[in-house]
Amino acid sequence: VVCDTSGGVYVFGHAGLSTSLFQFDDQIAVPGGVAGTSLFYAKYDGSSGNCVWGKLGGSHFSSGYFNIYDIAMADNQSIIICGKIIGQTNLYPNTYTTYDENGYVAKFALNGDNIWLKTIGGQNSSEMATRVTYYNNRIGVCGSLYSNQPYLGDYPMYATVSGGSYRAFNATL
């Protein structure tokens, strides 16, 4: 949960369901093809508690998933989230595809539209981005990675121990 200076309350979470509709008070979100693990996100009026808008996103296939681990407000202009992604994911109005289990950082406008998603990781790997922060026009992210393979993500990294093992990472984007 994050709040903006005009009283908007933004809630992002993991729905863990396959559905064609999802209820936010009197608002109904239609995800458009979500079949695997789902992400819900909504804006509420901080004064009345009413839902202003609600949306769903997530993986297109039951073998994929899209989890969220943290959220940050970026100078009251946008929202930054991070987590773990695999397969093809729909975040209105965009669709993204990853290779293996990758960490990600994503940016959303205050109307709930996805602006971008950047992956952390690549092939034969298992990553997750577990914390995100925003300060002075910079995004900070940390998490874990498991691989000794070259990474193909937007932010390439290598695990430094041969044979692969979990290691912590932190990055400034």
Side-chain angles (χ1 to χ4, degrees):
V1 175
V2 292
C3 302
D4 64 25
T5 55
S6 63
V9 179
Y10 301 85
V11 179
F12 281 62
H14 171 73
L17 51 84
S18 283
T19 185
S20 59
L21 298 175
F22 193 82
Q23 187 84 27
F24 298 92
D25 292 339
D26 60 342
Q27 305 288 319
I28 296 177
V30 181
V34 174
T37 304
S38 300
L39 166 76
F40 70 86
Y41 46 113
K43 177 182 180 179
Y44 287 85
D45 181 300
S47 298
S48 68
N50 293 328
C51 183
V52 177
W53 53 258
K55 298 184 181 189
L56 282 178
S59 56
H60 286 266
F61 306 103
S62 59
S63 61
Y65 57 82
F66 189 86
N67 292 341
I68 179 173
Y69 294 128
D70 202 11
I71 181 172
M73 178 63 70
D75 289 342
N76 288 302
Q77 303 291 321
S78 58
I79 298 164
I80 308 295
I81 66 170
C82 70
K84 190 172 189 175
I85 183 176
I86 188 170
Q88 192 176 54
T89 296
N90 178 43
L91 297 172
Y92 182 82
N94 302 311
T95 300
Y96 303 97
T97 301
T98 62
Y99 302 98
D100 285 325
E101 298 177 14
N102 296 138
Y104 74 86
V105 178
K107 183 176 183 178
F108 290 82
L110 296 184
N111 68 357
D113 287 353
N114 173 253
I115 299 169
W116 52 256
L117 180 140
K118 304 294 184 185
T119 59
I120 301 167
Q123 64 187 17
N124 302 318
S125 59
S126 178
E127 293 78 38
M128 66 182 87
T130 55
R131 294 290 176 257
V132 66
T133 187
Y134 183 89
Y135 179 73
N136 201 23
N137 294 320
R138 301 292 292 185
I139 299 168
V141 62
C142 66
S144 66
L145 59 95
Y146 178 86
S147 180
N148 61 354
Q149 301 294 317
Y151 283 70
L152 301 173
D154 297 303
Y155 299 101
M157 297 182 186
Y158 291 86
T160 57
V161 177
S162 64
S165 62
Y166 280 100
R167 294 289 180 247
F169 75 85
N170 61 27
T172 302
L173 315 177

